[in-house]
Amino acid sequence: TQEVLLLLELYSQVGEIVDHASFPDYQVLRTIQTLVQRGIVEVRARAPVPPPDAGLFRTAQVRRLREWQGSARGENGPLRDAKLLVASCDPRLTESFFSLLCGLPGLTPHPRMENGIAADALGPLARLRIDDDLGIEFVHVPADPRFASLWPLAGHGALGTFLLLGGSVAEAADTLRPLCEALGALPRARMLHLLVRRPGEPDLADELRANVALVEESSLFLLPLEGRKDPLERLRGAFSRIVP
């Protein structure tokens, strides 16, 4: 029951709960049925899937994003791109996340990315076009303590930070904690832990149970790198949590 409740924080469809649970399908379905009967969980009809050209953000999200950026500019200043930081203690996770981003329409990699992502390089990764005059610039921020003095500068005015976790969630979270504390002290700080699951890795149910605090505060989002969903669908949920 605890595992099902944890998975319900990350997934909204019965099939997804069954697929990611470590128990037999029958047991998982019986558990969900019991939760429904007790009024703890409510089952609703699946919402219609947005059309492929709906984009990463809904109209209301784009409006809020424009308002967020507009509040940071001068009275007559131009609207600047939103800045979204990406940090990880494992360069492979950053590479995997960048590869997923490259599947988004309107994504333009920065020229420096032709040589790959250096773990100790602070700088732009790519720009995502939102509309005619607004985009999101992804900026890689090294978690190495040598860059601690630059963390507040990189995070100034940022829309938020994606913290990529993999392997042992607890160890990765501990490594990223100094960076989290530095960025969390900034005004309007928004951070989301992305639990990146690479192809072939074991089930993450144990990791979720061991890090229930992150789940309860809604700052942990599971991001599989493979599956039936295209990159747009897999990333939409993560971006919806970072938009003001």
Side-chain angles (χ1 to χ4, degrees):
T1 299
Q2 182 185 23
E3 180 174 322
V4 169
L5 289 172
L6 287 173
L7 289 171
L8 281 167
E9 295 288 340
L10 303 173
Y11 302 101
S12 59
Q13 298 179 27
V14 173
E16 293 176 326
I17 304 297
V18 172
D19 289 343
H20 290 88
S22 60
F23 291 89
D25 294 359
Y26 178 74
Q27 285 183 260
V28 177
L29 291 172
R30 284 295 300 271
T31 300
I32 294 175
Q33 182 183 35
T34 300
L35 293 172
V36 172
Q37 291 173 343
R38 294 181 178 179
I40 300 174
V41 172
E42 181 180 359
V43 178
R44 299 178 180 176
R46 181 178 178 181
V49 177
D53 60 348
L56 187 63
F57 298 101
R58 304 288 183 261
T59 302
Q61 292 175 319
V62 174
R63 183 175 62 252
R64 293 199 302 272
L65 189 57
R66 294 183 69 88
E67 292 173 351
W68 169 278
Q69 286 301 104
S71 65
R73 65 174 173 171
E75 184 177 347
N76 299 315
L79 188 66
R80 295 178 297 176
D81 284 349
K83 179 171 57 175
L84 186 57
L85 308 184
V86 179
S88 172
C89 55
D90 185 346
R92 296 174 300 172
L93 294 179
T94 311
E95 290 279 2
S96 297
F97 180 71
F98 176 74
S99 298
L100 192 60
L101 285 179
C102 287
L104 295 177
L107 195 286
T108 304
H110 192 272
R112 79 187 189 99
M113 294 308 297
E114 295 180 1
N115 298 321
I117 301 174
D120 59 351
L122 187 155
L125 297 174
R127 180 185 187 270
L128 178 65
R129 179 184 179 275
I130 304 301
D131 58 21
D132 291 340
D133 61 347
L134 179 63
I136 291 180
E137 182 183 26
F138 294 89
V139 178
H140 177 245
V141 180
D144 192 314
R146 293 179 300 165
F147 291 85
S149 61
L150 299 177
W151 292 340
L153 296 176
H156 177 71
L159 172 65
T161 304
F162 281 158
L163 300 158
L164 309 182
L165 306 178
S168 171
V169 174
E171 292 180 5
D174 284 343
T175 302
L176 292 172
R177 184 164 288 112
L179 173 64
C180 290
E181 292 175 350
L183 296 178
L186 299 176
R188 307 198 301 178
R190 303 172 62 83
M191 288 181 284
L192 183 65
H193 294 80
L194 295 182
L195 183 51
V196 182
R197 183 179 181 182
R198 291 193 294 265
E201 288 189 337
D203 192 272
L204 295 170
D206 290 338
E207 289 289 344
L208 295 177
R209 282 194 292 267
N211 294 276
V212 65
L214 286 177
V215 177
E216 289 177 342
E217 65 185 30
S218 299
S219 66
L220 180 64
F221 187 87
L222 183 60
L223 183 64
L225 295 178
E226 64 178 354
R228 293 185 295 272
K229 295 181 180 180
D230 61 23
L232 188 68
E233 284 300 313
R234 278 179 274 171
L235 286 167
R236 182 176 281 127
F239 278 96
S240 67
R241 297 193 185 188
I242 210 72
V243 171

